[in-house]
Amino acid sequence: VGLEAEPIRDRLAVRTGSYLEPSRFEGVDPRVHVTAGFDLRFLRWDFFGLLNEAVALHAGLVADFGFPNYYQYFALSLGTWH
């Protein structure tokens, strides 16, 4: 289950969600994950005039937490905004 919104149009996208990860081992309960993240467009650039059209660059951050046994994951991304 997930939800995504763009509170600042063409500038900021946020998302959150949750999923159930089944165990790979017998006798171990599945793990519930809660995730969240955002993408922020911060620059339009034509790479010194080499491109016909400016490319929108973005930075993003994601987080994933698993329960009941404590698990956490964070990631930072840089890329283009589509």
Side-chain angles (χ1 to χ4, degrees), residues 44-62:
R44 269 193 203 278
W45 190 28
D46 66 358
F47 292 91
F48 305 108
L50 297 173
L51 301 175
N52 292 335
E53 187 176 317
V55 173
L57 302 176
H58 82 89
L61 179 68
V62 296

Side-chain angles (χ1 to χ4, degrees), residues 23-64:
S23 174
R24 297 176 292 185
F25 307 102
E26 281 189 44
V28 178
D29 292 333
R31 183 165 48 190
V32 175
H33 286 259
V34 177
T35 64
F38 72 89
D39 288 315
L40 175 65
R41 183 177 60 85
F42 63 90
L43 178 68
R44 269 193 203 278
W45 190 28
D46 66 358
F47 292 91
F48 305 108
L50 297 173
L51 301 175
N52 292 335
E53 187 176 317
V55 173
L57 302 176
H58 82 89
L61 179 68
V62 296
D64 180 3

Side-chain angles (χ1 to χ4, degrees), residues 1-3 15-19 32-37 62-67:
V1 175
L3 177 66
R15 62 190 61 83
T16 187
S18 183
Y19 64 97
V32 175
H33 286 259
V34 177
T35 64
V62 296
D64 180 3
F65 302 96
F67 305 96

